[in-house]
């Protein structure tokens, strides 16, 4: 089964939801409407509180808009231009329902008959009229009963719900639940470092609500508890039955505009922390006899998630101004099974805000045969952060790739990595082999890089994989606002100082750099196992050129090795040997400013597509006004030998049909039609500059030179002696294999 996790969930989150004694040291009026001095404006920092936590950048900055568009496309929320409320209606609380039921029961007793069919409880004046003003709707459970069908109709919403359920069960649920949900092997793997269970969950009861608070300065939500009149009662039981299953955890995920302002927009969620000593009784009420309670105001920033105990945390929604406040709330049902009196000391210290990028004293001797270092730039970019997106398909080279990234970085602490693990989730042995990386993590402890903070993951069952485009799309969703993005494959090695070098080179792309519309990309030279690239590894740059059309009508491309002494003219007529303009794109190595993700992210619907991924991105980037460049030196190395596990067919129904659909999309894109294209430049101009006719499927003479002089390239294998790894047995057979590989790479 596919598993998802909330990347920002930490061990402190576990503790904060288990323990509720710690309180604030300041007070605020419960209904004054004035912001408390405990305000979560910036990145969440754990304060002295219990029962709730705040997770910023929960799913990536693009996710809220994608989820909102999905809800709009299915009619749950109307678009701003159309107005209205879609399927949303005036909201009702659990207390509203309780009061309506009491009202109906009283009428039944008085009349001696059942009048419930004649009473529209949703329009009852009990408790809802003039009190809230928000509009909401529940996503019916029956619509979510078929997980596969729901995931196809609502991919973003399904990802949100499944991530919440998976994370809660794996972090706070019982071994029995993990075993039943994911299988025996997954249970053994995921529970190795898991704390003792805190709750029994029943995901068949999970409820999901979409809510909008109008930005009229009036609509809010009075102080309440999600348990209604049973709030603040610990329902812990010793039995394992299904009794006592009520709302236990509340997750609120915000879909507000990315520029939401705490003061101008308001809409804070005010959380009231439980006060006082907890009695020994499991049914003790937590309360404070005072006109003032300790509270915490959480600003509803986009992509922020708040999780709190439904049974213990009272909360209130403050009015919003200027704009509507959108959110999706997910309630998990269950019961607590751990004692709140458990003597566990909680460490509320968060040193992330004090992080500095020091020169890492990395033991590079651990990296066998380190390739030559890249020259450090005169300017220092140590304050900038880098996100590395890696899709991995059953690849044992993934962790060595991560190790190389960290040990070869100038400033490892600024490198954040997002991996999409496509593995057999039913096999504990495979999960452990591909995803754990324990031995490598141990070697990285001295590098100022922490896997718990700097590594984010999505685990997907390999039988659900649909090719590189969807995997790269998922990897990009793990981006959390870092300054730059490096997209690579899962079997690569890096030269020392790669991070500083790439940032410096990206800023050498003239006006494209100034506009944030430059991309560095190329096919890297290869490396061989077990040695990897050594001190004699190829360091010359490569550039992508058109090669031929395949039988499917999709353009193939190849990388050509550049002579070290070659110089070219820039737009000002100056000769130099710096970044070289190019038109083609390498999916396995590209580096850009993160703003690109807002404009031209990967198309998640190109299923089954391998050849076509890169030309699709190339023409899309061109039409969106991006300029591509090949760096003058090779920055990394790629294992070109095919992973044998990729030869195993991917078992997905209709994948062949989806692949044909994807190929058709790409054919249309290169002809200037179809989805994903920009309006700054046209596809016809792209084809003309590339020297390719996508209508007749022909190449023009000289297009293989990428608009460079023919003497720019290494013309034969004799000019590339370092391509042979000296760790190989140089028998005649192996020499022939090497020659064949080099011919594929250089195009000769």
């Amino acid at each position: 089964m596919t598993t998802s996790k909330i990347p920002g969930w930490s061990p402190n989150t576990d503790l904060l939801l288990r323990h509720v004694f710690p309180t604030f040291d300041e007070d605020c009026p419960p209904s004054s409407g004035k912001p408390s001095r405990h305000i979560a404006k910036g990145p969440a920092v754990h304060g002295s509180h219990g029962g709730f936590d705040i997770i910023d950048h929960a799913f990536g900055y693009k996710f809220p808009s994608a989820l909102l568009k999905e809800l709009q496309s299915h009619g749950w929320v109307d678009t701003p231009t159309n107005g209205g409320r879609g399927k949303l209606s005036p909201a009702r609380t659990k207390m509203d329902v309780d009061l309506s039921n009491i009202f109906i029961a009283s009428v039944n007793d008085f009349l001696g008959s059942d009048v419930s069919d004649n009473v529209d409880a949703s329009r009852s004046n009990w408790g809802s009229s003039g009190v809230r003003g928000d509009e909401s709707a529940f996503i019916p459970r029956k619509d979510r009963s078929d997980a596969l069908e729901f995931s196809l109709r609502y991919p973003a919403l399904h990802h949100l719900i499944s991530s919440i359920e998976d994370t809660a069960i794996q972090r706070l649920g019982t071994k029995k639940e993990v075993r039943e949900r994911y299988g025996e092997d997954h249970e053994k793997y995921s529970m190795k470092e898991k704390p003792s269970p805190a709750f029994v969950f029943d995901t068949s009861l999970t409820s999901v609500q979409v809510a909008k608070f109008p930005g009229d300065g009036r609509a809010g939500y009075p102080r309440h508890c999600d348990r209604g009149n049973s709030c603040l009662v610990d329902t812990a039981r010793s039995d394992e039955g299904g009794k006592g299953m009520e709302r236990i955890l509340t997750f609120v995920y915000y879909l507000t505009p990315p520029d939401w302002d705490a003061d101008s927009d308001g809409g804070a969620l005010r959380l009231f922390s439980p006060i006082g000593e907890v009695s020994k009784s499991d049914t003790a009420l937590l309360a404070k006899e005072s006109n003032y309670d300790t509270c915490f105001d959480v600003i509803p920033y986009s992509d922020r998630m708040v999780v709190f105990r439904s049974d213990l945390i009272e909360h209130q929604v403050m009015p919003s101004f200027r704009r509507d406040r959108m959110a999706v709330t997910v309630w998990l049902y269950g019961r607590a099974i751990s004692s709140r009196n458990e003597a566990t000391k909680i460490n509320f210290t968060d040193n992330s805000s004090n992080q500095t990028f020091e020169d890492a004293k990395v033991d590079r001797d651990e990296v066998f045969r380190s390739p030559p270092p890249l020259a450090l730039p005169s300017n220092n970019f140590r304050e900038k952060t880098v996100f590395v997106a890696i899709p991995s398909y059953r690849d044992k080279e993934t962790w060595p790739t991560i190790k190389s990234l960290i040990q070869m970085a100038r400033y490892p602490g600024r490198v954040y990595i997002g991996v999409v693990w496509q593995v057999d989730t039913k096999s504990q042995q495979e999960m452990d082999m591909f995803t754990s990386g324990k031995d490598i993590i141990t070697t990285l402890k001295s590098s100022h890089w922490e896997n718990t903070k700097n590594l984010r993951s999505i685990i997907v069952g390999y039988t659900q994989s649909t090719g590189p485009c969807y995997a790269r799309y998922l990897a990009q969703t793990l981006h959390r606002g870092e300054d730059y993005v490096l997209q690579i494959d899962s079997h690569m090695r890096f030269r020392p100082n790669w991070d500083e070098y790439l940032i410096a080179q990206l800023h050498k792309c003239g006006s494209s750099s100034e506009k944030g519309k430059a991309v560095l990309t190329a096919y890297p030279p290869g490396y061989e196992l077990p040695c990897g690239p050594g001190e004699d590894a190829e360091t010359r740059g490569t550039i992508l050129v058109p090669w031929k059309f395949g039988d499917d009508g999709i353009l193939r491309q190849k990388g050509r090795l550049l002579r070290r002494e070659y110089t070219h003219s820039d737009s000002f007529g100056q000769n130099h040997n710096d970044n070289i303009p190019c038109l083609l794109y390498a999916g396995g190595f590209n580096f850009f400013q993160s703003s690109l993700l807002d404009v031209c992210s990967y198309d998640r619907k190109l299923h089954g597509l391998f050849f076509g991924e890169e030309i699709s991105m190339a023409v899309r980037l061109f039409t969106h006004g991006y300029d591509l460049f090949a760096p003058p030196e090779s920055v990394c190395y790629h294992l070109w030998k095919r992973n044998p596990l990729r030869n195993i067919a991917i078992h997905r129904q209709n994948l062949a049909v989806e692949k044909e659909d994807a190929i058709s999309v790409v054919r249309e894109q290169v002809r200037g039609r179809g989805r994903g294209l920009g309006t700054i430049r046209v596809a016809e101009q792209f084809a003309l500059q590339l020297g390719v006719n996508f209508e007749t499927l022909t190449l023009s003479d000289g297009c293989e030179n990428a608009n460079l002089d023919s003497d720019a390239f290494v013309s034969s294998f004799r000019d590339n002696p370092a391509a042979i790894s000296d760790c190989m047995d140089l028998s005649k057979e192996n020499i022939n294999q090497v020659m064949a590989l080099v011919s594929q790479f250089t195009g000769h």
Side-chain angles (χ1 to χ4, degrees):
M1 177 180 177
T2 301
T3 59
S4 303
K5 294 182 180 179
I6 302 173
W9 191 289
S10 69
N12 261 355
T13 307
D14 298 335
L15 293 171
L16 290 166
L17 295 176
R18 290 166 179 270
H19 307 277
V20 295
F21 328 102
T23 61
F24 301 111
D25 54 4
E26 300 178 59
D27 295 329
C28 68
S31 59
S32 66
K34 297 180 180 179
S36 161
R37 280 179 285 179
H38 306 284
I39 301 178
K41 289 186 176 181
V45 177
H46 297 291
S48 180
H49 65 265
F52 70 92
D53 197 14
I54 303 165
I55 301 173
D56 281 314
H57 314 301
F59 294 95
Y61 69 98
K62 292 176 56 180
F63 189 79
S65 60
L67 177 54
L68 183 57
K69 290 179 181 177
E70 184 175 280
L71 295 171
Q72 290 171 338
S73 67
H74 288 279
W76 291 101
V77 182
D78 210 341
T79 59
T81 54
N82 293 336
R85 59 169 69 110
K87 297 179 183 179
L88 304 185
S89 59
R92 304 167 67 224
T93 66
K94 186 179 186 298
M95 187 64 73
D96 294 336
V97 177
D98 292 341
L99 290 173
S100 296
N101 291 337
I102 292 173
F103 169 73
I104 294 172
S106 300
V107 174
N108 287 342
D109 290 341
F110 179 75
L111 297 178
S113 61
D114 188 353
V115 298
S116 58
D117 291 338
N118 299 319
V119 177
D120 185 354
S122 67
R123 301 188 182 278
S124 169
N125 291 327
W126 287 84
S128 60
S129 178
V131 177
R132 292 175 55 174
D134 59 317
E135 301 163 354
S136 66
F138 282 90
I139 308 296
R141 289 192 181 101
K142 61 181 179 61
D143 289 358
R144 299 184 278 114
S145 58
D146 187 331
L148 179 59
E149 175 64 24
F150 185 72
S151 66
L152 295 175
R153 293 186 62 207
Y154 296 91
L157 184 58
H158 173 74
H159 181 64
L160 174 70
I161 300 169
S162 61
S163 297
I164 289 172
E165 292 180 338
D166 288 349
T167 304
I169 289 175
Q170 293 187 44
R171 298 299 308 173
L172 300 170
T174 65
K175 291 185 177 182
K176 179 181 178 182
E177 290 174 295
V178 175
R179 184 167 58 249
E180 290 176 348
R181 188 173 177 89
Y182 309 108
E184 291 278 352
D185 291 337
H186 185 86
E187 181 269 332
K188 293 174 184 176
Y189 166 75
S190 64
M191 302 294 287
K192 286 182 179 179
E193 299 180 359
K194 180 185 178 299
S196 59
F199 308 104
V200 173
F201 294 104
D202 185 350
T203 55
S204 69
L205 300 176
T206 298
S207 57
V208 182
Q209 182 191 62
V210 182
K212 178 178 73 174
F213 284 83
D216 56 10
R218 299 187 305 273
Y221 197 151
R223 178 172 175 173
H224 68 287
C225 181
D226 286 346
R227 280 280 189 90
N229 58 5
S230 65
C231 188
L232 304 183
V233 177
D234 190 334
T235 59
R237 299 175 186 268
S238 59
D239 65 272
E240 290 294 323
K243 297 180 180 180
M245 293 295 185
E246 298 187 68
R247 287 178 176 176
I248 191 68
L249 292 179
T250 302
F251 295 78
V252 183
Y253 182 70
Y254 294 111
L255 307 180
T256 49
D259 59 344
W260 191 270
D261 182 77
D263 298 320
S264 301
D265 291 301
L269 174 67
R270 176 164 292 179
L271 301 170
F272 298 88
S273 183
I275 304 295
E277 294 295 327
V278 182
S279 72
K280 296 181 180 180
S281 170
D282 284 334
T283 59
L285 296 180
L286 298 178
K288 181 182 180 182
E289 295 180 1
S290 171
N291 292 328
Y292 293 88
D293 292 305
T294 57
C295 63
F296 194 100
D297 277 3
V298 181
I299 306 305
Y301 291 131
S302 180
D303 198 32
R304 169 173 276 187
M305 175 177 284
V306 185
V307 53
F308 56 88
R309 289 281 295 269
S310 311
D311 57 335
L312 298 172
I313 301 296
E314 292 189 339
H315 50 286
Q316 175 181 359
V317 177
M318 310 306 291
S320 302
F321 311 98
R322 296 199 310 171
R323 295 178 286 186
D324 296 342
R325 174 190 184 274
M326 292 290 305
V328 175
T329 302
V330 177
W331 286 279
L332 297 189
Y333 283 68
R335 53 182 174 78
I337 59 175
S338 61
S339 172
R340 291 185 316 214
N341 294 313
E342 187 176 341
T344 302
K345 183 178 180 180
I346 305 176
N347 179 14
F348 292 104
T349 304
D350 185 345
N351 296 320
S352 61
S353 60
N354 299 321
Q355 179 185 7
T356 58
F357 297 125
E358 301 178 0
D359 291 345
K361 298 179 180 179
V362 179
D363 183 8
R364 290 198 171 103
D365 291 337
E366 293 182 358
V367 181
F368 190 62
R369 293 169 49 82
S370 172
L374 290 154
L376 288 171
S378 56
N379 295 328
N380 187 288
F381 300 95
R382 66 191 303 170
E383 299 298 326
K384 300 297 184 179
T385 53
V386 178
F387 172 71
V388 185
I390 307 176
S392 171
Y393 184 89
R394 309 179 79 184
D395 191 353
K396 63 182 180 181
E397 278 289 284
T398 307
W399 272 107
T401 297
I402 294 173
K403 180 179 180 179
S404 179
L405 274 166
I406 302 309
Q407 291 191 321
M408 296 296 103
R410 178 66 175 175
Y411 304 115
R414 63 150 163 224
V415 179
Y416 295 83
I417 300 174
V419 184
V420 177
W421 305 97
Q422 300 164 91
V423 296
D424 185 352
T425 55
K426 296 180 180 179
S427 168
Q428 181 269 334
Q429 181 180 9
E430 177 162 323
M431 289 277 290
D432 202 22
M433 177 174 63
F434 290 132
T435 68
S436 66
K438 289 184 177 180
D439 294 339
I440 288 180
I441 289 174
T442 301
T443 67
L444 296 175
K445 287 185 177 178
S446 62
S447 65
H448 298 284
W449 187 86
E450 302 175 26
N451 66 297
T452 56
K453 183 180 68 174
N454 293 56
L455 180 65
R456 305 155 192 159
S457 299
I458 294 175
I459 300 177
V460 179
Y462 81 98
T463 58
Q464 299 300 313
S465 300
T466 64
C469 293
Y470 185 58
R472 294 196 198 281
Y473 161 79
L474 289 177
Q476 289 182 351
T477 66
L478 295 173
H479 176 256
R480 297 294 181 269
E482 289 80 16
D483 299 299
Y484 301 95
V485 176
L486 172 64
Q487 180 173 276
I488 62 172
D489 288 333
S490 58
H491 30 271
M492 300 182 74
R493 300 291 186 270
F494 287 79
R495 293 176 64 183
N497 306 324
W498 65 265
D499 51 332
E500 278 288 278
Y501 178 82
L502 283 176
I503 296 174
Q505 289 302 126
L506 193 66
H507 285 270
K508 291 182 179 180
C509 298
S511 60
S512 302
S513 300
E514 297 171 3
K515 299 175 184 176
K517 289 203 165 187
V519 179
L520 299 178
T521 187
Y523 278 172
Y527 72 91
E528 294 287 336
L529 295 175
C531 294
E535 60 275 1
D536 58 350
E538 179 60 75
T539 60
R540 289 173 289 188
T542 70
I543 190 169
L544 291 166
V545 301
W547 181 18
K548 63 181 181 180
F549 280 95
D551 294 338
D552 53 8
I554 298 297
L555 179 69
R556 306 296 197 262
Q557 60 191 38
K558 61 186 177 183
R560 296 194 67 184
L561 193 63
L562 294 163
R563 292 183 180 274
R564 193 179 309 281
E565 67 275 12
Y566 177 74
T567 60
H568 63 281
S569 299
D570 59 21
S571 57
F572 299 100
Q574 301 294 320
N575 289 332
H576 59 81
N577 61 349
D578 223 321
N579 298 327
I580 303 174
C582 61
L583 289 164
L584 295 175
Y585 170 91
F589 173 72
N590 48 85
F591 185 76
F592 50 86
Q593 293 186 44
S594 60
S595 57
L596 181 150
L597 296 177
D598 290 326
V599 179
C600 195
S601 62
Y602 256 72
D603 188 334
R604 63 181 176 85
K605 295 182 180 180
L606 294 180
H607 298 302
L609 189 68
F610 185 75
F611 295 113
E613 165 203 355
E614 295 171 321
I615 191 64
S616 171
M617 284 298 297
V619 69
R620 290 180 60 208
L621 288 168
F622 182 88
T623 59
H624 281 285
Y626 283 86
D627 295 316
L628 277 55
F629 297 85
E633 292 197 44
S634 291
V635 179
C636 51
Y637 304 88
H638 188 283
L639 183 64
W640 292 103
K641 185 177 180 180
R642 187 175 178 85
N643 179 359
L645 289 177
R646 284 186 176 273
N647 293 327
I648 299 176
I650 299 176
H651 305 285
R652 178 182 167 97
Q653 189 177 9
N654 298 325
L655 184 59
V657 175
E658 292 176 303
K659 179 180 178 180
E660 286 301 317
D661 291 342
I663 290 175
S664 298
V665 169
V666 177
R667 289 171 180 159
E668 290 295 294
Q669 288 175 332
V670 295
R671 291 168 172 81
R673 303 183 291 268
R675 66 173 186 252
L677 299 176
T679 57
I680 296 178
R681 294 185 291 211
V682 296
E684 291 79 5
Q685 183 183 359
F686 170 79
L688 182 64
Q689 293 184 22
L690 189 62
V692 173
N693 190 319
F694 289 105
E695 296 290 346
T696 61
L697 305 185
T698 56
L699 308 180
S700 63
D701 292 338
C703 72
E704 70 276 7
N705 293 331
N707 298 313
L708 302 179
D709 298 332
S710 59
D711 63 355
F713 306 98
V714 173
S715 59
S716 70
F717 177 71
R718 289 187 298 275
D719 292 314
N720 186 24
I724 297 180
S725 172
D726 59 14
C727 76
M728 296 180 64
D729 175 15
L730 297 183
S731 63
K732 180 178 179 181
E733 179 181 359
N734 281 333
I735 286 289
N736 290 335
Q737 292 176 357
V738 172
M739 290 293 290
L741 286 172
V742 171
S743 296
Q744 292 176 16
F745 175 69
T746 62
H748 296 292

